[in-house]
Amino acid sequence: MKSLIPVHRETLPGRRMVSPFLALQQEIDSLFEGFTRGFSPSPFQSLVPSMDVSETAKEIEVTTELPGLEEKDVQLSVADQTLSIRGEKKSEREEKDKDYHMVERSYGSFSRTVELPPGVNADAIKATMSKGVLKITIPKPAPAQSKKIDVKAA
């Protein structure tokens, strides 16, 4: 156990004097760290789906985990070089005989966005969903071609 009594220079030679407010703040921080250890993150954080973005020479692939959702629950849109993924996980409860002791499942709306490179053809984007995993394939635009222009005498 740590003491909350501030230490003075006279009692321990060679040690710096610690501010009593700093010591109190450290004790309170340590108390809260011990109290929250072992708890899961906030339920609001679990509404943000996990996402992987990978790239090959020809396409960009976005894979998003959406457990418990179906195709009808997810909306994709492309505007201003930004891909938006939106959805809602709805709670459907008609349980009259159950008393809950702990609820960890989250319900609500979510939204994620991914910036796309300039020149992406929105009509060529394909999306599939299987077993709660959304896979979006975005063809890369063709690289800009440089053209040499001959200069002629006037």
Side-chain angles (χ1 to χ4, degrees), residues 5-154:
I5 301 171
V7 178
H8 296 286
R9 284 184 191 232
E10 298 83 29
T11 57
L12 294 174
R15 289 188 68 174
R16 294 187 300 180
M17 183 173 170
V18 178
S19 164
F21 294 110
L22 180 61
L24 179 62
Q25 180 181 358
Q26 290 171 344
E27 285 295 321
I28 291 172
D29 289 345
S30 144
L31 175 70
F32 278 106
E33 285 173 12
F35 177 73
T36 59
R37 191 174 297 124
F39 284 102
S40 63
S42 165
F44 298 109
Q45 291 176 346
S46 61
L47 289 177
V48 178
S50 300
M51 179 183 294
D52 292 338
V53 179
S54 59
E55 182 177 3
T56 65
K58 295 183 179 183
E59 62 190 19
I60 298 167
E61 186 177 284
V62 178
T63 307
T64 306
E65 293 179 352
L66 302 172
L69 295 182
E70 297 176 11
E71 296 85 7
K72 63 181 179 157
D73 301 322
V74 181
Q75 298 86 38
L76 299 177
S77 62
V78 177
D80 298 327
Q81 300 175 0
T82 303
L83 171 69
S84 297
I85 304 168
R86 289 187 171 80
E88 184 174 3
K89 188 173 181 182
K90 297 178 182 175
S91 171
E92 299 174 8
R93 293 189 185 195
E94 289 188 22
E95 302 163 2
K96 297 176 183 174
D97 298 333
K98 291 186 179 180
D99 291 328
Y100 282 92
H101 295 280
M102 180 168 65
V103 177
E104 292 183 340
R105 295 172 39 190
S106 301
Y107 300 94
S109 299
F110 65 87
S111 176
R112 293 289 308 258
T113 58
V114 176
E115 187 173 342
L116 300 175
V120 168
N121 180 4
D123 296 328
I125 296 174
K126 295 178 182 166
T128 59
M129 190 161 176
S130 174
K131 297 180 182 178
V133 177
L134 175 66
K135 183 177 176 182
I136 306 165
T137 306
I138 307 155
K140 283 183 164 181
Q145 300 285 333
S146 63
K147 181 180 178 184
K148 185 177 179 180
I149 301 172
D150 294 328
V151 177
K152 299 179 183 178

